[in-house]
């Protein structure tokens, strides 16, 4: 059993690993909760950004602190690469980024203080342990390591630490893209959340349970891990559905009651399933994951979904990225029980696959029918990056050094990250925060939850693999 010090580090850890854990804990201890309301947010993001800037300055790395509005701090530093003579100019600069804000903890039952950064039984607890002060702390440690060594990467590395990701990046990545695009000059790729965490690759199913014969080598498949990389993200939009009718007294029912009509529209949305879509990311996942487990996925959509469901939390994540979705989230109608209102509304959360931007709204209109109005707003387009880019190969090399049988597998993230904002500058985004965790540990399930936590040894793995990846990429 390894010996653990009072700060959670273990005997035999490298300076890189110790610094990463230290940085992560220091950042978690800063309450940088993003409520989405400028009046209640405070200066936590600015304090976290200043901490990052000071850590970089300590080893001679210059950075720029940008306060988009009071309290909303961002930090960007550039480590110059080898250039045309000895680097990788065809790929341009690589942006590696993390956000410094976290979601609120109000209304959640925490066993450990959300901003205490306490370690219990080898687990680090705290808001941001996974989303995503873990990667921010790792990036600071890697940047410091490179600076001390005098390492010159193959291409420019832009280390960026953003505010406001949890509320859409208005004062963070989005603001910098719009007001300070010079900070990302020459960048062609970006690396950040949500991916890199390990998931188990199960052994092939029993041959007797399949109608076709299994591959000859299925019985000899070894237990392996896959490390998901988000090569695409769904687009995000909010919409409002409105039904209008003649208001009146509740004792005299009307044929155009807007509450009834909005209820029908919401029920129709809830019952509708958008078509199963094999995007390039999903297609690549099915091919590589199926090969690794020793059993190919079937062709029929229903059969694919059934097999994904058998993969537990991995399958639920993949399944969420296989269809467009529309989720009713807020209903608003009337204010008095005996009054039929003239207007009723429902708010919708919309998630749209790459390539469906032009067809999704028309399909949604057809679902809700002609008797209600549909207004779509807050549109952030989906993104998709090449699944076979050199950086994905570099991820595989970086993982193999620590996990020889680990397999990097693309997938489509059903949520949204700051990579969407950077894409407006022509930067291809990838979600890859390397974390080797026990097979039953659902990293994605830690996002925004109470008692958010991560194994400490996964953070050491993250530091090693990230450092190796940035040397290769």
């Amino acid at each position: 059993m390894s010996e653990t010090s009072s700060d959670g580090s273990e005997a035999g850890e490298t300076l890189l690993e110790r610094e990463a854990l230290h940085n992560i804990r220091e950042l978690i201890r800063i309450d940088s909760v993003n409520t989405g309301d400028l009046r209640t947010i405070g200066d936590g993001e600015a304090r976290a950004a200043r901490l990052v800037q000071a850590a970089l300055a300590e080893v001679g790395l210059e950075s720029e602190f940008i306060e988009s509005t009071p309290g909303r701090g961002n930090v960007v530093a550039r480590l110059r690469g080898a250039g045309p003579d000895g680097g990788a100019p065809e790929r341009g600069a690589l942006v590696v980024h993390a956000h410094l804000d976290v979601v609120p903890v109000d209304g959640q039952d925490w066993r450990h203080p959300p901003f205490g950064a306490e370690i219990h039984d080898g687990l680090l607890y705290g808001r941001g342990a996974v989303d995503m002060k873990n990667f921010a702390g790792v990036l600071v440690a890697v940047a410091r390591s490179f600076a001390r060594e005098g390492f010159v990467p193959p291409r420019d590395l832009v280390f960026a630490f953003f505010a406001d990701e949890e509320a859409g990046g208005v004062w963070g990545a989005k603001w910098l893209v719009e007001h300070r695009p010079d900070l990302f000059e020459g960048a062609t790729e970006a690396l950040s959340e949500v991916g890199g965490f390990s998931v188990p690759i199960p052994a092939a199913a029993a041959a007797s349970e399949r109608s076709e014969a299994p591959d000859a080598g299925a019985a000899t498949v070894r237990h392996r891990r896959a490390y998901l990389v988000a090569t695409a993200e769904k687009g995000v939009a909010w919409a409002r559905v409105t039904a209008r009718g003649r208001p009146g007294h509740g004792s005299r029912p009307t044929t155009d009651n807007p509450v009834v009509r909005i209820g029908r529209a919401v029920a129709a949305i809830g019952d509708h399933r958008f078509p199963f879509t094999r995007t390039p990311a999903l297609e690549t996942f099915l091919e590589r994951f199926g090969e690794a487990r020793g059993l190919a996925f079937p062709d029929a959509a229903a059969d694919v979904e059934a097999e994904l469901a058998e993969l537990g939390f991995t399958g639920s994540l993949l399944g969420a990225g296989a269809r467009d979705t529309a989720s009713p989230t807020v209903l608003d109608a009337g204010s008095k029980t005996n009054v039929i209102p003239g207007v009723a509304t429902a708010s919708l959360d919309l998630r749209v696959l790459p390539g469906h931007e032009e067809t999704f709204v028309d399909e949604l209109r057809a679902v809700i029918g002609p008797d209600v109005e549909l207004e779509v707003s807050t549109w952030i387009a989906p993104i998709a990056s090449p699944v076979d880019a050199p950086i994905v190969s570099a991820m595989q090399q970086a993982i193999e050094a620590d996990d020889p049988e680990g397999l990097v597998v693309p997938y489509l993230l059903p949520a949204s990250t700051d990579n969407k904002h950077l894409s407006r500058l022509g930067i291809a985004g990838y979600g890859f925060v390397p974390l080797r965790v026990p097979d039953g540990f659902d990293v994605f399930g830690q996002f925004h939850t109470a008692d958010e936590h991560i194994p400490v040894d996964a953070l050491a793995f993250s530091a090693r693999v990230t450092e190796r990846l940035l040397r290769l990429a």
Side-chain angles (χ1 to χ4, degrees):
M1 180 179 293
S2 58
E3 180 181 339
T4 304
S5 68
S6 60
D7 67 354
S9 61
E10 295 184 350
E13 281 186 327
T14 65
L15 176 59
L16 172 71
E17 294 163 3
R18 288 197 301 273
E19 283 201 352
L21 179 59
H22 171 78
N23 298 337
I24 295 164
R25 298 183 78 185
E26 288 297 295
L27 286 169
I28 288 174
R29 289 172 180 138
I30 296 176
D31 179 351
S32 55
V33 166
N34 185 352
T35 63
D37 184 346
L38 286 174
R39 297 169 298 179
T40 59
I41 287 174
D43 65 348
E45 290 160 310
R47 287 186 287 118
R50 287 296 191 191
L51 185 150
V52 168
Q53 186 178 44
L56 298 178
E58 192 176 52
V59 293
L61 271 176
E62 294 185 2
S63 63
E64 187 170 353
F65 173 86
I66 306 105
E67 206 168 18
S68 50
T69 196
R72 316 308 296 274
N74 303 268
V75 169
V76 180
R78 183 181 288 249
L79 185 61
R80 293 293 178 182
D85 295 332
E90 71 281 0
R91 296 203 299 272
L94 172 65
V95 182
V96 284
H97 61 96
H99 61 83
L100 299 172
D101 62 323
V102 295
V103 295
V105 299
D106 299 339
Q108 294 183 336
D109 185 16
W110 285 68
R111 292 177 299 151
H112 305 291
F115 305 107
E118 295 181 358
I119 295 175
H120 300 277
D121 299 323
L123 301 172
L124 172 64
Y125 288 83
R127 179 60 89 218
V130 171
D131 183 22
M132 65 173 303
K133 290 181 176 178
N134 60 327
F135 198 51
V138 163
L139 291 182
V140 172
V142 171
R144 284 169 57 90
S145 177
F146 285 169
R148 284 192 296 261
E149 179 188 337
F151 171 68
V152 179
R155 53 174 168 166
D156 285 10
L157 296 177
V158 179
F159 293 89
F161 304 86
F162 295 133
D164 200 35
E165 190 276 343
E166 297 292 1
V170 174
W171 302 105
K174 183 176 185 290
W175 192 94
L176 292 176
V177 163
E178 293 173 350
H179 296 87
R180 292 295 309 275
D182 57 294
L183 295 170
F184 312 105
E185 182 180 358
T188 56
E189 292 175 311
L191 188 66
S192 189
E193 58 178 354
V194 177
F197 47 85
S198 66
V199 298
I201 301 176
S208 60
E209 296 177 2
R210 308 259 326 166
S211 58
E212 63 273 19
D215 295 337
T220 62
V221 173
R222 297 178 298 275
H223 177 79
R224 302 176 62 189
R225 300 178 187 88
Y227 294 84
L228 303 182
V229 52
T231 59
E233 297 179 7
K234 277 186 172 181
V236 182
W238 291 345
R240 181 182 293 270
V241 180
T242 303
R244 304 182 190 279
R246 185 174 69 258
H249 196 283
S251 65
R252 298 180 64 186
T254 61
T255 58
D256 63 347
N257 186 326
V259 178
V260 174
R261 287 162 54 202
I262 205 70
R264 288 177 183 149
V266 168
I269 294 168
D271 291 339
H272 182 71
R273 296 193 80 198
F274 290 87
F276 182 88
T277 303
R278 296 175 77 120
T279 61
L282 178 58
E283 195 70 59
T284 306
F285 172 88
L286 296 176
E287 176 186 342
R288 297 182 185 175
F289 198 89
E291 181 181 354
R293 70 175 183 161
L295 191 64
F297 284 89
D299 293 328
D303 294 334
V304 172
E305 290 192 281
E307 290 202 14
L308 287 176
E310 294 176 1
L311 298 179
F313 59 81
T314 305
S316 67
L317 183 58
L318 269 293
R323 297 177 185 272
D324 298 322
T325 59
S327 299
T329 53
V330 179
L331 292 172
D332 185 16
S335 59
K336 202 168 186 293
T337 304
N338 64 348
V339 176
I340 296 172
V343 178
T345 65
S347 297
L348 309 178
D349 176 275
L350 310 178
R351 306 285 166 153
V352 186
L353 293 169
H356 289 191
E357 301 94 314
E358 302 300 324
T359 60
F360 175 79
V361 173
D362 287 342
E363 183 173 356
L364 182 59
R365 288 187 190 278
V367 170
I368 64 176
D371 295 333
V372 295
E373 304 165 11
L374 175 65
E375 179 185 7
V376 179
S377 61
T378 320
W379 177 262
I380 304 176
I383 59 174
S385 302
V387 298
D388 55 356
I391 194 171
V392 179
S393 298
M395 294 172 191
Q396 181 65 48
Q397 288 181 258
I399 286 291
E400 285 177 354
D402 256 273
D403 187 350
E405 294 199 14
L407 179 68
V408 173
V409 185
Y411 88 108
L412 186 145
L413 174 67
S416 192
T417 76
D418 279 332
N419 277 333
K420 281 193 174 70
H421 300 303
L422 294 174
S423 72
R424 295 167 57 191
L425 299 177
I427 299 172
Y430 294 88
F432 192 78
V433 177
L435 293 165
R436 184 174 61 201
V437 295
D439 284 352
F441 190 93
D442 180 4
V443 173
F444 193 76
Q446 292 296 317
F447 281 67
H448 301 185
T449 192
D451 274 327
E452 181 181 343
H453 62 278
I454 191 71
V456 172
D457 60 4
L459 300 174
F461 175 88
S462 187
R464 294 193 303 271
V465 175
T466 300
E467 193 264 357
R468 194 176 299 119
L469 172 57
L470 297 188
R471 286 182 183 275
L472 294 168

